[in-house]
Amino acid sequence: KRSLRSHWAPGIAGAAGVEDPLVAPSAVDEVDLGQQIDNLTDLVRSIPESEVKARRMIQLADVYRERAALHRAAAEEEKRRWWDEFQDDVSAKENRGVIGCPQFASDSLADSDLKKALAIYLHVLKKYPSHSRTERAQEYSLRCYLDLEERDKATAVLAKLEASDPSGQALARSYIAVANHELEGKRPADALAHYEKAAAIAEPELKREAERRAAECREQIGRGSAPR
């Protein structure tokens, strides 16, 4: 089941833990993004196979991710309201183990857009393996896998990034994305390992973020192992 706190929650830029302009809250709405998707889809169809087409396809996938962010934020608000009502409902609380958190339409819409974005990234990676934005497509396909809870596939993408550019910033950001996912899944030791890997290769600003989060993980691990 998806946790109440999603990778796309307001104030959290994707799964990276650092600002991602593609998914940061903005003034655009679902209608704006839908129009952008329609326009880019028509444009992509009109362009012959080329580097330019690949670039526009990645742009289209990015917009799908941005719309998924809006859907996920809406789902988070629906979950918050449901949880508040649940807490006030005595009979529901008595059956907490049976009820569980329901599936919300906004979550399904977010998953649908993420799958579309992922399919485009994977197509570009297969069709244009030497394109200048291949690394970008890999990085954001990893984030899609994480938010779709496909952890093993995200790990496989991470291995490809490690092999292609072991000191690259896309890899550093991806380590943090995986670490955040591990922490959300209550696996602080795994999260710590990835934050430390990110800190080892990240540029200063990202390095500080990775080190701060690594310190938080150590505190959490320490509290968990402390005698009661």
Side-chain angles (χ1 to χ4, degrees):
K1 295 179 180 178
R2 194 181 301 281
S3 68
L4 289 178
R5 184 184 180 190
S6 153
H7 293 308
W8 303 100
I12 300 175
V18 293
E19 196 65 17
D20 175 357
L22 294 175
V23 297
S26 67
V28 299
D29 60 21
E30 184 180 346
V31 175
D32 294 330
L33 294 173
Q35 187 61 56
Q36 289 182 43
I37 287 170
D38 289 344
N39 292 342
L40 280 167
T41 299
D42 290 342
L43 179 60
V44 166
R45 287 172 178 164
S46 70
I47 301 173
E49 296 297 340
S50 62
E51 294 279 302
V52 173
K53 183 166 187 168
R55 186 168 65 251
R56 291 299 189 182
M57 291 183 73
I58 291 174
Q59 185 180 359
L60 174 59
D62 291 345
V63 179
Y64 271 121
R65 284 185 61 239
E66 188 171 0
R67 192 169 69 174
L70 292 183
H71 289 316
R72 196 69 88 209
E76 287 299 308
E77 179 60 22
E78 291 171 347
K79 290 172 187 176
R80 185 193 64 77
R81 289 197 301 267
W82 173 85
W83 183 252
D84 289 344
E85 293 171 2
F86 179 86
Q87 291 290 81
D88 294 336
D89 188 333
V90 176
S91 62
K93 289 180 72 173
E94 290 175 352
N95 293 288
R96 177 179 304 197
V98 178
I99 295 175
C101 184
Q103 177 73 22
F104 294 94
S106 295
D107 259 337
S108 297
L109 291 171
D111 286 349
S112 176
D113 277 347
L114 285 167
K115 288 174 182 177
K116 290 172 184 175
L118 179 60
I120 294 170
Y121 290 134
L122 295 180
H123 175 80
V124 170
L125 288 168
K126 182 178 180 179
K127 185 76 175 180
Y128 307 95
S130 60
H131 191 273
S132 60
R133 298 194 180 186
T134 293
E135 194 173 68
R136 175 193 179 95
Q138 285 183 322
E139 178 184 355
Y140 287 116
S141 67
L142 178 145
R143 295 191 192 191
C144 289
Y145 279 132
L146 288 175
D147 202 59
L148 290 167
E149 301 298 336
E150 297 189 40
R151 189 180 176 209
D152 290 345
K153 291 181 180 179
T155 300
V157 175
L158 189 66
K160 291 179 181 178
L161 285 167
E162 288 173 327
S164 63
D165 189 0
S167 60
Q169 295 312 292
L171 177 59
R173 291 189 297 269
S174 295
Y175 278 141
I176 291 181
V178 173
N180 287 352
H181 186 264
E182 296 299 279
L183 194 57
E184 187 174 310
K186 303 187 185 305
R187 296 180 289 271
D190 291 336
L192 175 59
H194 286 90
Y195 285 134
E196 290 177 337
K197 288 180 180 180
I201 62 174
E203 293 178 351
E205 184 176 358
L206 194 59
K207 180 182 178 70
R208 288 192 294 272
E209 176 70 12
E211 289 176 337
R212 180 182 68 79
R213 290 182 177 240
E216 291 174 355
C217 281
R218 294 187 189 98
E219 290 180 7
Q220 184 174 333
I221 293 169
R223 288 196 300 271
S225 61
R228 297 182 182 274

